[in-house]
Amino acid sequence: MRFKEIHALFTGFTQNWSRRSGFDTLHHRLTPLMCIDPTRPTYIMPPLKWNFDVAGTAAWISRNLDITDPDAAVYTYSYSWAAPTTLKLHQALDDIGIEVKRAMFADPVKRRALQQRVHHYIPWYPAPEFVIPSNVGEAVYTRQSATWPSGSAMRAAVPHNKHTGYGTIVKEIPMDFPSINHIYMDDYPAFIEEALRPFSQLKDAS
């Protein structure tokens, strides 16, 4: 059996796997999607670490996603250092003709970015940005700047064109609590709720 939906979760460098994290919560809340609609087989991948095998994960998705169905969808969720690795996954999927319907990023951080460190202490210094590949339909992210490391902004390689429908929609979730620490961003309520928002059937099943 091939899946109509695959949800892939990728955790950050700071997360301690010996205790429950925000992405465990997200995985738990997404899991009912696997049994709500038998006509749309869905798989929620257990969270992987930030330095996951990009090529292997892309190959697994390509083998298990029903690419014959135009409505088949891939969703990704990443936190902190997992962001650049997840973007490499998006590019790897693009190389084999697979689109990502929605990508969620919690405080996405560029690894070893001197520019980011300088920006943290000198706000007017340009902050580094992540560029979203054109095979991602929508990218949603939240970021904080109160603590190090701080999240980077995101922009589309090909901005969305409302007339053609092509390109990526990029949306930043406003921070209700600007002083929140980076280590809690994976559990930020607005991020979790936005990740669940497209799936109204979860509310119907609760």
Side-chain angles (χ1 to χ4, degrees):
M1 179 184 68
R2 292 197 171 192
F3 299 106
K4 304 293 186 181
E5 281 185 20
I6 292 177
H7 296 250
L9 291 78
F10 307 109
T11 65
F13 176 77
T14 60
Q15 286 179 310
N16 184 345
W17 281 52
S18 65
R19 60 178 176 80
R20 191 175 185 86
S21 72
F23 270 42
D24 288 319
T25 300
L26 178 59
H27 183 269
H28 177 76
R29 294 187 65 180
L30 286 169
T31 295
L33 288 173
M34 296 175 66
C35 55
I36 286 177
D37 184 357
T39 68
R40 190 168 178 80
T42 296
Y43 185 66
I44 316 297
M45 295 174 61
L48 299 176
K49 289 187 177 182
W50 65 272
N51 56 349
F52 63 91
D53 177 0
V54 171
T57 304
W60 187 93
I61 291 173
S62 69
R63 290 195 305 271
N64 290 279
L65 183 70
D66 184 3
I67 58 177
T68 64
D69 184 347
D71 292 328
V74 174
Y75 296 83
T76 64
Y77 312 83
S78 63
Y79 164 54
S80 187
W81 275 19
T85 322
T86 304
L87 289 172
K88 290 179 182 178
L89 173 64
H90 295 162
Q91 188 60 61
L93 292 173
D94 191 24
D95 292 343
I96 55 178
I98 295 178
E99 295 186 354
V100 176
K101 185 166 185 178
R102 198 169 196 242
M104 294 283 304
F105 300 89
D107 215 22
V109 171
K110 281 183 174 286
R111 298 194 297 275
R112 299 181 297 276
L114 176 62
Q115 185 185 16
Q116 186 187 50
R117 183 176 289 276
V118 174
H119 173 75
H120 183 72
Y121 296 106
I122 308 176
W124 50 260
Y125 191 84
E129 290 183 320
F130 284 110
V131 180
I132 310 297
S134 60
N135 67 319
V136 177
E138 182 182 19
V140 184
Y141 70 101
T142 187
R143 59 176 175 149
Q144 57 78 37
S145 59
T147 61
W148 174 258
S150 55
S152 292
M154 314 198 92
R155 65 178 176 84
V158 180
H160 183 259
N161 185 311
K162 64 180 180 180
H163 300 294
T164 65
Y166 183 71
T168 304
I169 298 171
V170 178
K171 172 185 174 183
E172 181 176 359
I173 304 172
M175 289 292 296
D176 295 326
F177 307 100
S179 61
I180 191 170
N181 192 295
H182 172 77
I183 64 174
Y184 302 119
M185 288 295 289
D186 65 313
D187 210 11
Y188 186 57
F191 174 83
I192 301 292
E193 293 306 314
E194 179 62 25
L196 300 172
R197 184 180 58 78
F199 311 108
S200 59
Q201 62 269 44
L202 289 176
K203 294 180 180 179
D204 297 336
S206 61

